[in-house]
Amino acid sequence: MTVLTRPEIARELRKLCDSVRRRLWICSPYVGSWSVRSVLGRKWWDRNNVDIRLLIDPDEKEVNRDTALRFAEKGKIRKLRGLHAKMYIVDDRVLLTSANLTFAGFARRHEAGVVLSGKAANSAISLFNSWWESAADFPNSSVLGLPRRRLQIAGEDDVPGLPEPMALPPDPGDFGGWACIAEFGDYGKFLHCYKDL
């Protein structure tokens, strides 16, 4: 077993996500801006019949609204008070890491992780599933109620003294659907945002 550090953690997660067939389960107490699409890629989004789950800590100020909208569109989000673990489960493999689902976690912070398979992965998958079963739903109405942020979450990108960002895998480009429409679903809101711009 090899211990991965940045940027290998991001490249390994992208490789796993690009091969997803049936399951992408993530637990992370912090969920950053949609820039994390560079790490997750878009194959999980484009493929049908992939079970998408995102397990978060209920402290809503640590969850980025745009990213949560995209997960809510394709899967389910639940909240588990006191969650601190970070697991990225893709089919039958697990990236167990210290990196939150944030740009800084994968590109700027000193993080470590290992990829589990076989019995070790099955144990982590069972643990995630038990947490999922005991977690509370985080409905779409809660996601829409998350605050919009013009700037990154404090601590995500602009912390003085963090190392310069490491290169992430290539950005697959934005992809949206419901999440993008929800932002400007009514013309009045669009005009208000446009005037602010």
Side-chain angles (χ1 to χ4, degrees), residues 102-118:
T102 63
F103 173 82
F106 284 95
R108 296 201 60 194
R109 296 191 180 276
H110 297 288
E111 308 280 3
V114 294
V115 175
L116 307 175
S117 58

Side-chain angles (χ1 to χ4, degrees), residues 7-196:
E8 291 94 11
I9 297 171
R11 286 195 289 257
E12 187 63 29
L13 181 55
R14 177 66 175 272
K15 187 169 76 172
L16 290 170
C17 287
D18 282 350
S19 69
V20 68
R21 295 283 175 230
R22 65 181 192 290
R23 167 174 46 207
L24 175 61
W25 295 355
I26 297 173
C27 78
S28 177
Y30 297 91
V31 177
S33 69
W34 190 227
S35 63
V36 298
R37 69 181 180 257
S38 294
V39 178
L40 299 176
R42 68 179 296 151
K43 302 263 170 103
W44 64 278
W45 178 271
D46 292 337
R47 291 193 172 122
N48 294 325
N49 302 318
V50 174
D51 181 11
I52 308 294
R53 299 181 186 182
L54 177 62
L55 186 61
I56 61 172
D57 188 282
D59 185 358
E60 297 174 4
K61 68 179 181 267
E62 306 300 345
V63 177
N64 181 278
R65 180 178 184 260
D66 293 337
T67 305
L69 281 170
R70 285 168 171 90
F71 274 92
E73 181 177 353
K74 294 296 277 188
K76 294 184 178 179
I77 302 175
R78 288 195 173 172
K79 55 186 181 176
L80 182 64
R81 188 157 194 72
L83 178 72
H84 190 65
K86 296 88 175 174
M87 286 192 283
Y88 302 86
I89 299 170
V90 181
D91 296 331
D92 296 324
R93 301 190 70 195
V94 178
L95 172 61
L96 185 62
T97 180
S98 58
N100 284 299
L101 185 58
T102 63
F103 173 82
F106 284 95
R108 296 201 60 194
R109 296 191 180 276
H110 297 288
E111 308 280 3
V114 294
V115 175
L116 307 175
S117 58
K119 288 182 182 180
N122 290 338
S123 177
I125 292 167
S126 292
L127 177 61
F128 180 99
N129 204 36
S130 69
W131 287 346
W132 185 261
E133 294 302 318
S134 65
D137 284 335
F138 194 78
N140 287 349
S141 59
S142 294
V143 174
L144 289 170
L146 291 170
R148 288 266 318 142
R149 291 185 179 88
R150 290 179 188 265
L151 302 174
Q152 298 294 338
I153 297 171
E156 185 178 342
D157 293 319
D158 297 323
V159 175
L162 282 181
E164 287 301 310
M166 301 292 282
L168 292 176
D171 188 334
D174 202 8
F175 44 100
W178 181 91
C180 296
I181 293 168
E183 188 59 31
F184 297 112
D186 72 52
Y187 188 67
K189 188 172 185 178
F190 171 78
L191 282 178
H192 179 73
C193 291
Y194 182 74
K195 286 177 186 176
D196 283 350

